[in-house]
Structures are given as C-alpha cells and as structure tokens.
Amino acid sequence: MSVRTAFAAALKVLRKKRGLTQVALSGTITQSHVSQIESGKTSPSLAAIIELARVMELSPVALMALVCAAQDELTPSEVLEVAKEDLQSISLLNAAIPMEVEAKPHPGVTAAAKTREKVQALKKKGFSQADIARKLEMAESTVRRHWHRSV
C-alpha cells in the first residue's frame, strides 16, 4: 500500500473514531484539502500532518504510527516498538535534540570573503585596482566590488 493510500485510510478511520466531519477537522487546512487527502489524491505536508493531529488532539507521532501500521500491515504498537528499537540502536531514544542548526556559510560567501581579504591586503600595500586585478588574475570589476568593502 502506498504512503498516500495508507495516510488516507488512517486519517479516515481516526476522524470517524473521533466523531469529526471533514469540516470539523479542517483548522488551517481547508475541507477540500482534507477531502483530497482522504481520497488519496494528494499527500499532506509535514505542517498539515501536525495540524491534523493537533485538531484531533493527538500527537503527530501517533498519527504517523497509524499511517505506518496501515502501510506495513502492522499494529500501531508494533510500529512504535520498531521505532523505539531504532532510536535506541543509534542512542537517540533518550537524547534531547538541539533546536539550533549549525549555520555553515555558503561556499561562495566564503570564497568572496577570502578574495576581499586579498584585495584589501594589496590595497593597503598601495597597489592600484588594475594592479590587483592583474596580480590576482581577476576582472577589475571584481576588484572594484571588493575594494570598497571592509574585511
């Protein structure tokens, strides 16, 4: 069974179990989008999955356990046990995940900063823009761009 079909089936069962209509289920998601999800015509985004779970007063993990159970023909309990074992095997079951993602500058930004440093160093030594362009083998327009910026 495809994930889309499994999600449709799980959502329908869960919505009916909660006694909700598609209209009642639609919070920030429109009723027509809920209908398309339930008919398997579209897949929900992660934000939509979280919103649907919130409206049904259910954790997103529980909703996805139902989806995975439908897809793999398992029970939600079996799915959660496998997930627990997976997280335990990589030592993340009881780990707190940091919310800050280490920002790495784009390689182009790094390269531009190095070029700027070279241009500024030669500028301090008294080289002209044309001399720097020849020395660093780059266009004078590139040198000009870095000439007026500080390191």
Side-chain angles (χ1 to χ4, degrees):
M1 174 183 299
S2 74
V3 175
R4 188 180 288 186
T5 303
F7 196 95
L11 184 60
K12 243 184 271 188
V13 166
L14 187 55
R15 179 178 59 78
K16 288 179 179 178
K17 186 120 180 121
R18 291 284 200 206
L20 297 169
T21 64
Q22 287 181 347
V23 172
L25 187 57
S26 59
T28 58
I29 302 167
T30 64
Q31 181 275 326
S32 64
H33 192 198
V34 172
S35 176
Q36 288 182 330
I37 293 168
E38 282 192 0
S39 65
K41 292 180 180 173
T42 189
S43 296
S45 66
L46 180 56
I49 291 169
I50 292 170
E51 174 64 13
L52 289 166
R54 185 194 63 75
V55 171
M56 290 187 285
E57 298 177 347
L58 190 68
S59 85
V61 172
L63 174 55
M64 289 309 300
L66 290 170
V67 173
C68 293
Q71 183 182 24
D72 297 337
E73 298 180 8
L74 298 170
T75 66
S77 178
E78 292 169 321
V79 168
L80 291 171
E81 189 58 38
V82 169
K84 183 178 178 181
E85 289 169 8
D86 287 347
L87 291 172
Q88 210 161 20
S89 74
I90 56 174
S91 301
L92 288 176
L93 182 61
N94 295 309
I97 307 300
M99 290 300 293
E100 293 181 18
V101 178
E102 185 181 324
K104 293 183 181 178
H106 188 277
V109 172
T110 304
K114 288 179 182 176
T115 300
R116 188 172 310 111
E117 287 173 9
K118 290 176 184 175
V119 169
Q120 290 297 320
L122 292 172
K123 176 182 174 184
K124 284 180 185 175
K125 290 182 178 179
F127 286 87
S128 70
Q129 290 181 18
D131 292 337
I132 293 172
R134 277 191 298 280
K135 187 166 186 69
L136 297 179
E137 298 178 344
M138 63 177 62
E140 283 190 48
S141 61
T142 303
V143 172
R144 232 182 338 272
R145 186 171 59 247
H146 294 293
W147 181 271
H148 298 290
R149 293 185 183 176
S150 60
V151 180

mmCIF file of all heavy atoms in Angstrom, residues 124-143:
data_model
loop_
_atom_site.group_PDB
_atom_site.id
_atom_site.type_symbol
_atom_site.label_atom_id
_atom_site.label_comp_id
_atom_site.label_asym_id
_atom_site.label_seq_id
_atom_site.Cartn_x
_atom_site.Cartn_y
_atom_site.Cartn_z
ATOM 1 N N LYS A 124 46.096 47.964 0.898
ATOM 2 C CA LYS A 124 46.868 48.573 1.991
ATOM 3 C C LYS A 124 48.345 48.717 1.626
ATOM 4 O O LYS A 124 49.035 49.602 2.122
ATOM 5 C CB LYS A 124 46.730 47.742 3.265
ATOM 6 C CG LYS A 124 45.402 47.913 3.954
ATOM 7 C CD LYS A 124 45.300 47.068 5.219
ATOM 8 C CE LYS A 124 43.906 47.195 5.803
ATOM 9 N NZ LYS A 124 43.728 46.308 6.962
ATOM 10 N N LYS A 125 48.813 47.841 0.769
ATOM 11 C CA LYS A 125 50.216 47.906 0.325
ATOM 12 C C LYS A 125 50.414 48.936 -0.772
ATOM 13 O O LYS A 125 51.527 49.128 -1.255
ATOM 14 C CB LYS A 125 50.679 46.531 -0.173
ATOM 15 C CG LYS A 125 50.824 45.513 0.938
ATOM 16 C CD LYS A 125 51.330 44.195 0.394
ATOM 17 C CE LYS A 125 51.518 43.193 1.507
ATOM 18 N NZ LYS A 125 51.992 41.896 1.015
ATOM 19 N N GLY A 126 49.301 49.567 -1.217
ATOM 20 C CA GLY A 126 49.420 50.639 -2.197
ATOM 21 C C GLY A 126 49.196 50.221 -3.641
ATOM 22 O O GLY A 126 49.409 51.025 -4.546
ATOM 23 N N PHE A 127 48.785 49.004 -3.890
ATOM 24 C CA PHE A 127 48.521 48.572 -5.257
ATOM 25 C C PHE A 127 47.261 49.250 -5.786
ATOM 26 O O PHE A 127 46.314 49.514 -5.034
ATOM 27 C CB PHE A 127 48.324 47.053 -5.327
ATOM 28 C CG PHE A 127 49.584 46.251 -5.190
ATOM 29 C CD1 PHE A 127 50.067 45.880 -3.939
ATOM 30 C CD2 PHE A 127 50.292 45.859 -6.321
ATOM 31 C CE1 PHE A 127 51.220 45.135 -3.808
ATOM 32 C CE2 PHE A 127 51.447 45.111 -6.206
ATOM 33 C CZ PHE A 127 51.912 44.750 -4.945
ATOM 34 N N SER A 128 47.235 49.529 -7.087
ATOM 35 C CA SER A 128 46.036 50.092 -7.722
ATOM 36 C C SER A 128 45.056 48.957 -8.014
ATOM 37 O O SER A 128 45.417 47.777 -7.975
ATOM 38 C CB SER A 128 46.412 50.796 -9.031
ATOM 39 O OG SER A 128 46.803 49.824 -9.994
ATOM 40 N N GLN A 129 43.841 49.322 -8.365
ATOM 41 C CA GLN A 129 42.837 48.314 -8.708
ATOM 42 C C GLN A 129 43.288 47.490 -9.913
ATOM 43 O O GLN A 129 43.142 46.268 -9.926
ATOM 44 C CB GLN A 129 41.477 48.973 -8.984
ATOM 45 C CG GLN A 129 40.830 49.536 -7.738
ATOM 46 C CD GLN A 129 39.480 50.172 -8.006
ATOM 47 O OE1 GLN A 129 38.853 49.926 -9.034
ATOM 48 N NE2 GLN A 129 39.019 50.985 -7.064
ATOM 49 N N ALA A 130 43.858 48.155 -10.906
ATOM 50 C CA ALA A 130 44.329 47.460 -12.106
ATOM 51 C C ALA A 130 45.459 46.496 -11.761
ATOM 52 O O ALA A 130 45.500 45.355 -12.257
ATOM 53 C CB ALA A 130 44.776 48.459 -13.165
ATOM 54 N N ASP A 131 46.385 46.933 -10.903
ATOM 55 C CA ASP A 131 47.497 46.069 -10.483
ATOM 56 C C ASP A 131 46.980 44.834 -9.737
ATOM 57 O O ASP A 131 47.443 43.720 -9.962
ATOM 58 C CB ASP A 131 48.472 46.826 -9.578
ATOM 59 C CG ASP A 131 49.236 47.938 -10.311
ATOM 60 O OD1 ASP A 131 49.360 47.844 -11.556
ATOM 61 O OD2 ASP A 131 49.700 48.869 -9.632
ATOM 62 N N ILE A 132 46.025 45.055 -8.869
ATOM 63 C CA ILE A 132 45.459 43.946 -8.088
ATOM 64 C C ILE A 132 44.752 42.960 -9.020
ATOM 65 O O ILE A 132 44.904 41.743 -8.880
ATOM 66 C CB ILE A 132 44.490 44.462 -7.001
ATOM 67 C CG1 ILE A 132 45.273 45.260 -5.952
ATOM 68 C CG2 ILE A 132 43.739 43.312 -6.344
ATOM 69 C CD1 ILE A 132 44.401 45.983 -4.930
ATOM 70 N N ALA A 133 44.029 43.482 -9.991
ATOM 71 C CA ALA A 133 43.324 42.618 -10.941
ATOM 72 C C ALA A 133 44.319 41.731 -11.683
ATOM 73 O O ALA A 133 44.089 40.527 -11.860
ATOM 74 C CB ALA A 133 42.506 43.449 -11.924
ATOM 75 N N ARG A 134 45.424 42.323 -12.122
ATOM 76 C CA ARG A 134 46.455 41.538 -12.827
ATOM 77 C C ARG A 134 47.101 40.523 -11.883
ATOM 78 O O ARG A 134 47.272 39.365 -12.222
ATOM 79 C CB ARG A 134 47.512 42.470 -13.425
ATOM 80 C CG ARG A 134 47.122 43.070 -14.760
ATOM 81 C CD ARG A 134 48.296 43.770 -15.438
ATOM 82 N NE ARG A 134 48.812 44.909 -14.662
ATOM 83 C CZ ARG A 134 48.259 46.116 -14.633
ATOM 84 N NH1 ARG A 134 47.188 46.366 -15.365
ATOM 85 N NH2 ARG A 134 48.780 47.079 -13.909
ATOM 86 N N LYS A 135 47.449 40.982 -10.705
ATOM 87 C CA LYS A 135 48.155 40.137 -9.742
ATOM 88 C C LYS A 135 47.286 38.944 -9.313
ATOM 89 O O LYS A 135 47.780 37.829 -9.184
ATOM 90 C CB LYS A 135 48.559 40.958 -8.517
ATOM 91 C CG LYS A 135 49.444 40.220 -7.548
ATOM 92 C CD LYS A 135 50.055 41.212 -6.564
ATOM 93 C CE LYS A 135 51.056 40.576 -5.650
ATOM 94 N NZ LYS A 135 52.282 40.140 -6.282
ATOM 95 N N LEU A 136 45.991 39.172 -9.078
ATOM 96 C CA LEU A 136 45.097 38.104 -8.616
ATOM 97 C C LEU A 136 44.380 37.398 -9.776
ATOM 98 O O LEU A 136 43.584 36.492 -9.546
ATOM 99 C CB LEU A 136 44.056 38.654 -7.628
ATOM 100 C CG LEU A 136 44.620 39.230 -6.330
ATOM 101 C CD1 LEU A 136 43.494 39.769 -5.460
ATOM 102 C CD2 LEU A 136 45.436 38.196 -5.571
ATOM 103 N N GLU A 137 44.672 37.860 -10.995
ATOM 104 C CA GLU A 137 44.061 37.282 -12.208
ATOM 105 C C GLU A 137 42.540 37.254 -12.116
ATOM 106 O O GLU A 137 41.894 36.210 -12.224
ATOM 107 C CB GLU A 137 44.611 35.873 -12.465
ATOM 108 C CG GLU A 137 46.108 35.852 -12.718
ATOM 109 C CD GLU A 137 46.653 34.446 -12.929
ATOM 110 O OE1 GLU A 137 45.969 33.455 -12.593
ATOM 111 O OE2 GLU A 137 47.792 34.349 -13.434
ATOM 112 N N MET A 138 41.991 38.443 -11.915
ATOM 113 C CA MET A 138 40.530 38.567 -11.868
ATOM 114 C C MET A 138 40.109 39.860 -12.554
ATOM 115 O O MET A 138 40.950 40.725 -12.824
ATOM 116 C CB MET A 138 40.024 38.526 -10.416
ATOM 117 C CG MET A 138 40.496 39.655 -9.533
ATOM 118 S SD MET A 138 39.822 39.637 -7.846
ATOM 119 C CE MET A 138 40.435 38.106 -7.214
ATOM 120 N N ALA A 139 38.844 39.946 -12.833
ATOM 121 C CA ALA A 139 38.315 41.121 -13.522
ATOM 122 C C ALA A 139 38.431 42.355 -12.619
ATOM 123 O O ALA A 139 38.296 42.260 -11.397
ATOM 124 C CB ALA A 139 36.855 40.893 -13.895
ATOM 125 N N GLU A 140 38.667 43.493 -13.255
ATOM 126 C CA GLU A 140 38.746 44.734 -12.485
ATOM 127 C C GLU A 140 37.433 45.040 -11.780
ATOM 128 O O GLU A 140 37.434 45.619 -10.689
ATOM 129 C CB GLU A 140 39.151 45.908 -13.394
ATOM 130 C CG GLU A 140 40.631 45.911 -13.722
ATOM 131 C CD GLU A 140 41.072 47.188 -14.413
ATOM 132 O OE1 GLU A 140 40.716 48.287 -13.923
ATOM 133 O OE2 GLU A 140 41.774 47.069 -15.438
ATOM 134 N N SER A 141 36.315 44.638 -12.390
ATOM 135 C CA SER A 141 35.015 44.875 -11.742
ATOM 136 C C SER A 141 34.916 44.103 -10.419
ATOM 137 O O SER A 141 34.324 44.587 -9.446
ATOM 138 C CB SER A 141 33.866 44.480 -12.677
ATOM 139 O OG SER A 141 33.941 43.105 -13.010
ATOM 140 N N THR A 142 35.510 42.909 -10.373
ATOM 141 C CA THR A 142 35.522 42.120 -9.129
ATOM 142 C C THR A 142 36.383 42.832 -8.085
ATOM 143 O O THR A 142 36.000 42.943 -6.920
ATOM 144 C CB THR A 142 36.060 40.695 -9.388
ATOM 145 O OG1 THR A 142 35.256 40.083 -10.393
ATOM 146 C CG2 THR A 142 36.047 39.848 -8.129
ATOM 147 N N VAL A 143 37.532 43.310 -8.522
ATOM 148 C CA VAL A 143 38.423 44.043 -7.608
ATOM 149 C C VAL A 143 37.700 45.276 -7.088
ATOM 150 O O VAL A 143 37.724 45.566 -5.893
ATOM 151 C CB VAL A 143 39.747 44.436 -8.300
ATOM 152 C CG1 VAL A 143 40.575 45.363 -7.406
ATOM 153 C CG2 VAL A 143 40.530 43.187 -8.674
#
